[in-house]
């Protein structure tokens, strides 16, 4: 991606679109930023080595264009209400705005496009979709004060993310359902405190970068590759699955810290029902992460790998080990 000047230009435009949305003081300006972000991300998705990328970019465009159209419709209704004293309910307009932003972020119940789209991307684009592309919608959702409707999305997101990952063999779909699950936790943080969801998002982005970097280096896309690829390297296999458990939020890894913050705040605000559902969904995700880890350590077999080329060098290896060190042992340094 970074060797192509046009891709760098589109990457800068994508960053600019997100910044316009975040810093905008009107819904129309936020919509413009989202459109710039959308139209600059689609060229980044095109990949000559991946036949599914064209299909994925078309799916992304249709879904996001639909959400943007409804968002613009809601913005027009809001302007009519403010300038012409229309009798349209403001809560109804806010509900439409929230629905479109949930669709843009890939949260349940508007999540159906997200796993299939992720399955057609390479790891760099998948990482952008899981992290950077969620900043603008999440920021706009934090401006809307609709806790009752957001709670429904939280419950659906954590349950869909937990149950959807149970029968997956594709690593990209597994990461997609994990992202939907983490969105539920972020929405819970948004309802309580504006800064806590940003902390959660930073930790989630760090863990996603660590895992996606590893998958990108070794061209890992399916579960059976995890069993056969690291046949002679137990350290790599160990760090990879410890990062998986950290992403799931298992103590004492760093991924537990943002969940700990959200659990503490939900306890202080007496949201016990929501807390129980969040913790149950996390137990399900940890179950299938542990199942993968157990299988990978026990079923260690050798086969001829159909993807033989990978971008491996000493710099990549050192960078991955540094990221893994903070992912696995970071909580010890923070707590002390």
């Amino acid at each position: 991606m970074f060797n192509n000047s046009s891709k760098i230009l589109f990457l800068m435009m994508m960053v600019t679109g997100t910044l316009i949305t975040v810093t905008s003081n009107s819904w129309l300006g936020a919509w413009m930023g989202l459109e710039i972000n959308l139209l600059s991300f689609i060229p980044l998705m095109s990949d000559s080595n991946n036949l599914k990328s064209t299909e994925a970019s078309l799916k992304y465009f249709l879904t996001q264009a639909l959400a943007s159209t409804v968002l613009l419709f809601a913005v027009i209704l809001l302007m009519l209400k403010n300038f012409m004293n229309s009798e349209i309910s403001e809560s109804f307009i806010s509900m439409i705005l929230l629905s479109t932003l949930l669709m843009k972020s890939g949260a349940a119940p508007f999540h159906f496009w997200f796993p299939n789209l992720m399955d057609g991307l390479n790891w760099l684009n998948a990482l952008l979709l899981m992290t950077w592309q969620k900043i603008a919608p999440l920021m706009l959702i934090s401006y809307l004060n609709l806790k009752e409707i957001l709670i429904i999305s939280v419950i659906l997101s954590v349950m869909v993310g937990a149950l959807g990952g149970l029968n997956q063999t594709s690593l990209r779909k597994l990461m997609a359902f994990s992202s939907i699950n983490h969105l539920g936790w972020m929405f819970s943080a948004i309802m309580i405190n504006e800064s806590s969801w940003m902390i959660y998002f930073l930790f989630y982005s760090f863990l996603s970068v660590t895992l996606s970097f590893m998958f990108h280096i070794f061209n890992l896309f399916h579960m059976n590759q995890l069993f056969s690829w690291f046949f002679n390297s137990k350290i790599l296999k160990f760090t990879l699955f410890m990062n998986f458990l950290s992403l799931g939020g298992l103590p004492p890894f760093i991924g537990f810290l943002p969940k700990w913050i959200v659990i503490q705040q939900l306890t202080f605000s007496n949201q016990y029902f929501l807390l129980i559902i969040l913790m149950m969904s996390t137990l399900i995700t940890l179950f299938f992460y542990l199942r993968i880890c157990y299988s990978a350590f026990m079923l260690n077999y050798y086969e001829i790998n159909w993807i033989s080329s990978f971008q491996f060098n000493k710099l990549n290896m050192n960078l991955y080990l540094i990221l893994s060190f903070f992912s696995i042992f970071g909580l010890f340094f923070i707590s002390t």
Side-chain angles (χ1 to χ4, degrees):
M1 180 184 288
F2 299 107
N3 297 329
N4 192 330
S5 57
S6 63
K7 298 252 175 167
I8 295 171
L9 173 65
F10 286 122
L11 191 67
M12 291 172 65
M13 284 175 61
M14 187 183 74
V15 172
T16 305
T18 303
L19 294 177
I20 289 170
T21 301
V22 169
T23 56
S24 175
N25 58 359
S26 69
W27 281 104
L28 192 61
W31 173 81
M32 288 170 58
L34 286 170
E35 288 300 295
I36 293 169
N37 179 275
L38 164 64
L39 294 173
S40 55
F41 183 59
I42 288 170
L44 291 174
M45 295 170 73
S46 62
D47 185 6
S48 58
N49 297 323
N50 188 0
L51 296 175
K52 287 186 177 180
S53 63
T54 307
E55 181 191 350
S57 59
L58 183 61
K59 283 180 184 175
Y60 186 73
F61 173 74
L62 291 173
T63 309
Q64 298 295 316
L66 174 64
S68 296
T69 306
V70 180
L71 179 65
L72 184 59
F73 173 69
V75 170
I76 292 168
L77 287 179
L78 198 61
M79 292 171 72
L80 285 172
K81 179 175 174 58
N82 292 335
F83 294 112
M84 297 186 179
N85 296 321
S86 177
E87 295 181 358
I88 305 167
S89 171
E90 193 166 340
S91 61
F92 173 70
I93 299 171
S94 299
M95 192 169 65
I96 296 174
L97 287 170
L98 180 62
S99 301
T100 57
L101 294 171
L102 290 175
M103 183 180 283
K104 278 192 167 290
S105 61
F110 308 102
H111 65 283
F112 299 101
W113 61 274
F114 190 62
N116 291 326
L117 183 72
M118 279 276 290
D119 207 32
L121 300 177
N122 61 34
W123 279 113
L124 292 178
N125 289 326
L127 180 62
L128 285 174
L129 190 63
M130 286 189 294
T131 55
W132 185 264
Q133 292 299 89
K134 294 196 186 311
I135 294 175
L138 283 169
M139 191 66 76
L140 293 176
I141 287 169
S142 68
Y143 298 155
L144 296 169
N145 190 17
L146 289 171
K147 288 186 179 179
E148 295 82 6
I149 301 170
L150 202 57
I151 283 174
I152 298 170
S153 180
V154 168
I155 295 169
L156 288 173
S157 293
V158 294
M159 294 313 294
V160 165
L163 298 174
L166 279 172
N167 60 344
Q168 294 302 324
T169 56
S170 168
L171 290 173
R172 286 171 292 190
K173 281 192 176 181
L174 190 71
M175 293 293 285
F177 281 110
S178 174
S179 179
I180 293 168
N181 181 268
H182 282 285
L183 270 176
W185 282 86
M186 285 182 231
F187 291 155
S188 304
I190 283 172
M191 290 190 297
I192 299 164
N193 191 349
E194 193 171 335
S195 60
S196 59
W197 80 263
M198 296 181 187
I199 296 168
Y200 195 106
F201 181 79
L202 285 173
F203 278 98
Y204 166 70
S205 299
F206 169 73
L207 294 169
S208 297
V209 167
T210 306
L211 277 169
S212 300
F213 183 66
M214 180 63 167
F215 296 149
H216 174 67
I217 291 172
F218 290 100
N219 276 329
L220 298 173
F221 296 106
H222 299 282
M223 208 74 73
N224 63 335
Q225 291 175 276
L226 298 178
F227 301 155
S228 59
W229 197 274
F230 305 111
F231 187 72
N232 296 319
S233 180
K234 298 294 184 289
I235 294 175
L236 277 177
K237 184 174 275 195
F238 179 79
T239 55
L240 174 64
F241 288 111
M242 290 305 104
N243 286 324
F244 254 126
L245 296 177
S246 183
L247 183 69
L250 184 74
F253 305 124
I254 196 72
F256 174 64
L257 182 63
K259 282 190 166 69
W260 191 3
I261 294 168
V262 175
I263 288 167
Q264 195 174 30
Q265 291 182 344
L266 286 171
T267 308
F268 289 156
S269 58
N270 298 321
Q271 303 250 2
Y272 297 115
F273 174 71
L274 189 61
L275 181 59
I276 289 168
I277 292 173
L278 288 170
M279 293 175 72
M280 282 172 59
S281 72
T282 304
L283 287 174
I284 296 170
T285 55
L286 282 173
F287 163 71
F288 64 75
Y289 283 149
L290 280 167
R291 186 177 64 181
I292 294 165
C293 299
Y294 183 79
S295 303
F297 280 119
M298 295 297 109
L299 306 173
N300 204 358
Y301 64 88
Y302 179 78
E303 69 176 20
I304 298 170
N305 295 291
W306 58 278
I307 299 176
S308 58
S309 62
F310 52 88
Q311 303 169 28
F312 176 77
N313 56 44
K314 194 173 181 181
L315 178 63
N316 284 342
M317 193 68 231
N318 290 336
L319 181 59
Y320 170 71
L321 289 174
I322 290 167
L323 291 171
S324 296
F325 177 78
F326 286 111
S327 171
I328 297 168
F329 301 108
L331 193 61
F332 294 106
F333 297 106
I334 292 172
S335 58
T336 53

